[in-house]
Amino acid sequence: MVVTDLISDSFAVNRLLLASMISVVYAELVFSQIDEPTTFSWNTLIRAHAKSSNPRKAVVVYNQMRRHDVLTDNYTYPFVIKACGSSLGLEEGTTVHGEVFKRGLELDLIIRNCLVDMYCKCRQLDLARKLFDEMLLRDVVSWNSMIGGYVGVGEMGEAQKLFDKMPERDVFSWAMMIDGYGKKISNVNQARRLFDAAPVRDLICWNSMVAGYRSVGDMTCASKLFEEMPVRNVISWSIMIDGYAHHGKPMQALSLFRQMLQQGTKPDKVAAVGALMACAQLGALDQGKWVHLYVERNRLSDIVVQTALVDMYTKCGSLDQAWKVFDNMLERNVVSWTVMMVGLGLNGLGDDALGLFVQMEKEGYLMDDLIFLGVLSSCSHAGLVNEGLQVFDKMKNVYGVKPKAEHYGCLVDLLGRAGRLDEALSVIKGTPMKPTSASWGSFLAACRIHKRMDLAGEFVGHLLELEGEDSGVYVLLSNIYAEEGMWEDVLKVRDAMTERGIKKEAGRSAIELNGIVYEFVNEDKSLLHVQEIYSVIWSFSTMPAITYECM
């Protein structure tokens, strides 16, 4: 076109601009070659930016269009308004809304739908609902936009009222409601009722329902539904892998990751992070290295994946590899630094963790509660008591960061490990919020190690105050009493567990051998090699071996 001088033809260059939207940079270059851009040219460039990773640039182009006195039309505003919603630009969106009103386009259905959606994304639901209620004509997009706004903030009651009034629903309407009940307010029973009632279930509906079960930790139902899916995509696999990794089932996460590859589905970054998290939990260094190689070869590596790699390597004890990944990161965020600090602390290198903290201070990072949690955790694991106390003091008095329950828990753990149990108990009693089970668990563990039964008894009165179903603190207290031969107190603790419906989790351990991870669960006789394992154990004993049948 350049050689034949077609680049000066307005019609031809506009078509080239439309075709070049796959690359925003190239679209801008083509646009710059147009001597007198028309409304169509400006609209096309605005549309390209609205769909890009930086939608705010669409508003910039729109303002340039206005400064050049180019006439806007009803095709201009939908893209600009969508860009305002995507970038949460409420002020810009309100200004554009005013321009729409001045141009007399406020009754245009597409523009009004975009305005409702924009206000919903900017959490201005009252304004969105006012526009919605004033609409003389609505289509399914109008209803979905307003319902989506309520779902986005977890107002499922209002969303349900609109859903029930809808004259016509599409699969997206059902998927939004399922997703809202399942993930936003964890009401998977209502989500399942809607799922079962949906006249047509597309892939989005299936994924939403599986994600709902995953969000409440019901991986059994999630797995059952996953197996029933008529068709799966990478999102389906990623939901399950990430769910298993986050809910303490790393073996299943790795197994599913392998199945995903065998069936020819290319993992995305979510699946890769889930697999790395599973490797970190199991200490499966060889498999973690393989996943690392896979993400590098398939260009899946970004700041989230690299942070997961650092976490995996530190938890597997491979600090050289962790440092290598961390040093090679082109971009780091607070989470990246915190993961590296915590990893160093877990491996007893508290001084190095403090060094990273000092480096962050020098580089001017905004210090938040997550960073201090990482430093305190590192000091606790490395036994740096005085340093940890100094960091806690600096957090409050220098940086003005208000400690949360997790920070007080780290402080209790720090003092408890050092045997300073009276101070640890004072911290628990002086905490402005209700002490967590983690704080009491750290305190009890320290009492057990330092043989302080007198202080362990302090916990008994707080048993019923604990929230959740954390069996660890109950079992720990029971074991402390058992070691002292206080069997009546053991029974009291066990009775309290029974009354509250708390069950002791089965003990688990894992070992990686020749790239294969073997997991052992207490009282599980279903392992293929269980007979050989027991034969080896009993070979060290004078007692006769016991034969177990594999189920």
Side-chain angles (χ1 to χ4, degrees):
M1 288 178 66
V2 171
V3 170
T4 59
D5 201 33
L6 274 174
I7 199 72
S8 61
D9 181 274
S10 177
F11 179 83
V13 79
N14 278 334
R15 291 301 174 272
L16 175 62
L17 179 61
L18 192 62
S20 67
M21 281 177 55
I22 192 171
S23 168
V24 179
V25 175
Y26 188 69
E28 285 186 322
L29 288 171
V30 172
F31 183 84
S32 67
Q33 298 300 309
I34 303 175
D35 293 330
E36 295 184 7
T38 63
T39 300
F40 179 86
S41 309
W42 286 98
N43 287 352
T44 305
L45 188 60
I46 290 171
R47 179 183 175 189
H49 281 295
K51 293 186 175 182
S52 72
S53 59
N54 184 17
R56 190 173 288 273
K57 188 69 184 293
V59 183
V60 175
V61 176
Y62 166 74
N63 290 331
Q64 291 173 351
M65 180 183 183
R66 299 261 302 144
R67 283 196 294 271
H68 282 79
D69 293 325
V70 179
L71 186 66
T72 55
D73 60 16
N74 58 330
Y75 292 103
T76 308
Y77 294 105
F79 301 128
V80 181
I81 296 167
K82 284 181 180 179
C84 292
S86 300
S87 60
L88 304 182
L90 177 61
E91 186 176 347
E92 296 90 341
T94 305
T95 302
V96 174
H97 186 181
E99 294 296 330
V100 167
F101 186 81
K102 290 176 184 178
R103 291 290 315 279
L105 296 172
E106 71 275 9
L107 296 180
D108 185 285
L109 180 60
I110 295 175
I111 293 176
R112 184 157 282 230
N113 283 344
C114 289
L115 284 168
V116 170
D117 183 65
M118 183 270 293
Y119 282 124
C120 284
K121 286 179 178 174
C122 294
R123 298 292 192 264
Q124 300 296 314
L125 294 184
D126 290 341
L127 290 174
R129 186 59 187 262
K130 185 174 184 296
L131 281 173
F132 178 82
D133 289 340
E134 291 173 351
M135 294 175 73
L136 300 176
L137 178 67
R138 303 184 188 116
D139 61 6
V140 70
V141 176
S142 316
W143 290 89
N144 283 347
S145 297
M146 196 64 240
I147 289 173
Y150 285 125
V151 169
V153 296
E155 292 188 19
M156 293 308 300
E158 292 299 319
Q160 185 68 57
K161 289 176 185 177
L162 284 182
F163 182 78
D164 292 338
K165 292 179 181 177
M166 284 184 79
E168 181 185 359
R169 300 166 183 152
D170 60 8
V171 289
F172 190 63
S173 314
W174 291 91
M176 275 196 304
M177 295 297 293
I178 293 167
D179 201 58
Y181 276 114
K183 291 199 296 186
K184 284 291 181 181
I185 64 172
S186 301
N187 187 348
V188 289
N189 292 329
Q190 178 61 18
R192 186 57 191 260
R193 279 192 284 270
L194 285 169
F195 178 80
D196 291 337
V200 178
R201 298 179 202 143
D202 66 350
L203 189 54
I204 297 175
C205 284
W206 283 89
N207 284 342
S208 294
M209 193 63 244
V210 173
Y213 282 125
R214 175 248 181 259
S215 67
V216 297
D218 190 349
M219 295 308 297
T220 302
C221 286
S223 177
K224 186 173 183 294
L225 201 64
F226 178 77
E227 294 298 328
E228 294 173 2
M229 291 181 74
V231 125
R232 300 171 189 146
N233 62 2
V234 64
I235 297 174
S236 318
W237 290 91
S238 296
I239 291 169
M240 290 299 298
I241 293 168
D242 182 71
Y244 278 133
H246 272 94
H247 291 98
K249 297 181 182 294
M251 287 290 289
Q252 290 90 329
L254 282 181
S255 175
L256 211 59
F257 187 76
R258 286 192 293 267
Q259 288 181 42
M260 182 182 189
L261 293 172
Q262 289 168 359
Q263 295 193 17
T265 303
K266 185 178 178 181
D268 60 5
K269 293 171 185 177
V270 176
V273 169
L276 288 169
M277 189 184 299
C279 292
Q281 292 173 21
L282 293 167
L285 181 58
D286 289 343
Q287 295 205 35
K289 287 180 176 178
W290 184 89
V291 177
H292 185 182
L293 184 63
Y294 182 88
V295 299
E296 291 291 340
R297 285 180 175 175
N298 290 274
R299 298 181 180 180
L300 292 175
S301 188
D302 66 358
I303 187 171
V304 178
V305 175
Q306 289 169 334
T307 301
L309 281 167
V310 172
D311 183 58
M312 183 273 295
Y313 279 125
T314 56
K315 287 180 178 174
C316 290
S318 182
L319 292 181
D320 290 341
Q321 287 291 334
W323 272 119
K324 185 177 179 181
V325 174
F326 184 77
D327 288 338
N328 289 333
M329 291 178 73
L330 298 177
E331 179 189 0
R332 298 181 191 132
N333 58 17
V334 169
V335 179
S336 312
W337 286 86
T338 304
V339 165
M340 190 68 215
M341 280 192 292
V342 172
L344 290 168
L346 284 172
N347 287 276
L349 300 176
D351 290 328
D352 290 337
L354 285 173
L356 279 183
F357 175 68
V358 172
Q359 187 178 342
M360 289 186 74
E361 287 183 306
K362 289 179 179 177
E363 293 187 18
Y365 273 86
L366 181 65
M367 294 295 165
D368 63 7
D369 58 297
L370 181 63
I371 295 171
F372 284 104
L373 188 62
V375 184
L376 288 170
S377 176
S378 298
C379 290
S380 177
H381 285 287
L384 302 176
V385 182
N386 293 330
E387 292 85 348
L389 293 173
Q390 290 172 6
V391 168
F392 189 81
D393 182 69
K394 181 182 284 189
M395 175 178 67
K396 294 191 300 180
N397 300 322
V398 176
Y399 290 101
V401 176
K402 188 177 180 181
K404 295 182 178 179
E406 293 82 4
H407 298 97
Y408 285 105
C410 278
L411 198 59
V412 170
D413 191 49
L414 177 75
L415 294 167
R417 287 172 185 260
R420 296 162 66 167
L421 291 166
D422 292 299
E423 294 175 68
L425 184 59
S426 297
V427 171
I428 290 177
K429 290 183 175 180
T431 302
M433 65 283 296
K434 183 187 291 186
T436 63
S437 59
S439 296
W440 280 114
S442 298
F443 179 73
L444 281 175
C447 288
R448 185 181 187 185
I449 293 170
H450 298 286
K451 305 296 182 183
R452 291 292 303 272
M453 272 302 301
D454 57 318
L455 292 179
E458 288 275 351
F459 171 67
V460 177
H462 299 276
L463 268 176
L464 298 178
E465 296 177 11
L466 291 180
E467 296 179 355
E469 298 182 357
D470 185 357
S471 64
V473 288
Y474 289 86
V475 174
L476 186 55
L477 183 61
S478 175
N479 290 340
I480 291 173
Y481 283 140
E483 288 172 2
E484 298 295 323
M486 302 168 65
W487 302 111
E488 289 185 7
D489 293 301
V490 171
L491 289 174
K492 288 179 182 178
V493 175
R494 297 290 180 175
D495 288 342
M497 291 180 68
T498 302
E499 288 175 9
R500 302 191 69 181
I502 297 173
K503 295 182 180 179
K504 179 182 179 297
E505 293 185 13
R508 296 173 181 270
S509 60
I511 185 171
E512 186 180 33
L513 185 63
N514 297 327
I516 301 175
V517 178
Y518 298 92
E519 185 179 38
F520 302 91
V521 182
N522 187 35
E523 296 184 358
D524 182 6
K525 310 299 189 300
S526 61
L527 290 169
L528 293 177
H529 304 292
V530 70
Q531 187 59 54
E532 290 88 338
I533 293 170
Y534 278 108
S535 297
V536 172
I537 292 173
W538 286 103
S539 68
F540 293 98
S541 173
T542 56
M543 296 178 65
I546 298 176
T547 301
Y548 291 95
E549 293 183 4
C550 294
M551 301 301 290

